[in-house]
Amino acid sequence: MRGLLDKRVLITGGAGGIGLATAKRFLEEGSRVAILDRDAAACRSAQQQLPGLQGTILADVSDDKAVARAFQELDGLFGGLDVLINNAGISIRQPFLSITPEQWRTVTGVNLDGVFLVAQQAARRMLAGNGGVILNMGSTNGLVGYHYYADYNAGKAGVIELSRSMALELGPTIRVNAVCPGFIMTPMQEAEYTPEMRRSFENKIPLRKLGKPEDVAALFAFLASDEAAFISGQYFVIDGGEIAGGLASQA
Ligand code: NAP
């Protein structure tokens, strides 16, 4: 991709799953990459797997003070920021009527508040520097209803609207977009699903396969690059066609 060489890239939730694959991809593009994650053991493992990483910063994205400290650490490492992949997120499967206020706050606190807190710190630095690109992690769950993830779905819908609003206020200096994956097989899910479960998920998807973390990493790389220089304020679905037909796709 054009324009990623030597770019300073921060990836939240970068120690696992899609974030780790994205860190690997940006390193391959010649970028300078740091990850921010709350999982210390996973950070150590990421640094071993990807020795080219310039730093791993421990922080919980839902904690505003921890995020502010993390960015001070990042200033020492990079002295600015060009690309933010705002990826950290969690989900808890629970029927709507069983969601406790605490669970609601935990899930939206990471997935929506966390995206806001990190994006604000990043945007201030990009505005003071040479501009940049912010890519927020949404989900197809933010676009259509899914059973048993009401808190997650509401937070991801919020990320999409937050991204549009940020694009309006931060342009022309910063481009902002959201990425909305469908079913992506991270190593954790790969270990969890039986072959039958996997087949039943695959059968619901027009491309008859689940996505890989590398598929999403490639979309992030494109959207962060100069190839996407005229793209801002949008969301990009990457789901093998899963939600293309609405109810018709379930026939
Ligand atoms: P993952 O494998 O669980 O990796 C997420 C990483 O983020 C983990 O290292 C996790 O640490 C870290 N993290 C979680 N909460 C954090 C916090 N508060 N502060 C800092 N780091 C935190 O997840 P994934 O499947 O790659 O998902 C990454 C993103 O993609 C999420 O936003 C998710 O909602 C979104 N997404 C995923 C899929 C999918 O099918 N996988 C589909 C659509 C959207 P812990 O291990 O401690 O939790």
Side-chain angles (χ1 to χ4, degrees):
M1 299 288 173
R2 284 189 298 127
L4 294 181
L5 189 66
D6 293 330
K7 285 284 159 67
R8 297 161 298 182
V9 180
L10 178 69
I11 303 170
T12 69
I18 295 168
L20 184 64
T22 304
K24 182 168 184 287
R25 175 64 191 253
F26 276 88
L27 286 172
E28 287 164 5
E29 297 286 349
S31 305
R32 301 167 61 195
V33 181
I35 62 174
L36 182 160
D37 203 288
R38 68 177 179 188
D39 186 334
C43 280
R44 283 193 295 276
S45 161
Q47 185 73 66
Q48 278 169 357
Q49 288 175 65
L50 303 175
L53 280 179
Q54 303 236 326
T56 59
I57 299 173
L58 263 186
D60 179 339
V61 297
S62 65
D63 176 341
D64 58 336
K65 292 187 179 60
V67 170
R69 278 195 302 273
F71 270 81
Q72 282 169 4
E73 209 178 310
L74 188 74
D75 290 340
L77 199 64
F78 280 166
L81 187 64
D82 303 305
V83 176
L84 168 66
I85 308 295
N86 212 351
N87 160 76
I90 55 167
S91 61
I92 304 170
R93 184 182 157 88
Q94 188 88 284
F96 170 70
L97 291 177
S98 308
I99 296 174
T100 63
E102 190 192 8
Q103 181 190 317
W104 174 274
R105 283 191 287 269
T106 300
V107 171
T108 57
V110 175
N111 296 352
L112 182 56
D113 300 16
V115 164
F116 158 69
L117 293 170
V118 173
Q120 199 177 52
Q121 291 284 346
R124 287 183 181 135
R125 284 156 177 85
M126 290 173 181
L127 289 171
N130 300 320
V133 180
I134 296 179
L135 300 174
N136 294 325
M137 183 54 108
S139 169
T140 49
N141 289 56
L143 293 164
V144 297
Y146 281 92
H147 284 82
Y148 309 135
Y149 290 96
D151 44 9
Y152 181 83
N153 303 343
K156 292 297 188 183
V159 167
I160 293 165
E161 189 49 45
L162 173 66
S163 305
R164 288 194 187 110
S165 305
M166 285 169 56
L168 295 183
E169 290 192 41
L170 300 176
T173 316
I174 303 174
R175 292 193 295 109
V176 184
N177 290 291
V179 164
C180 297
F183 229 119
I184 307 299
M185 278 300 257
T186 60
M188 210 163 60
Q189 288 162 321
E190 208 146 343
E192 201 177 302
Y193 297 147
T194 63
E196 296 72 46
M197 283 166 77
R198 187 172 174 150
R199 258 194 305 281
S200 93
F201 297 140
E202 285 169 346
N203 282 336
K204 294 180 185 155
I205 297 173
L207 292 187
R208 297 287 181 269
K209 62 180 179 182
L210 308 181
K212 301 191 296 278
E214 292 74 18
D215 296 328
V216 184
L219 180 57
F220 277 134
F222 166 70
L223 288 173
S225 78
D226 290 348
E227 315 284 355
F230 198 47
I231 300 179
S232 194
Q234 295 299 318
Y235 63 85
F236 292 85
V237 174
I238 172 164
D239 71 344
E242 184 188 352
I243 64 167
L247 284 177
S249 62
Q250 293 174 12

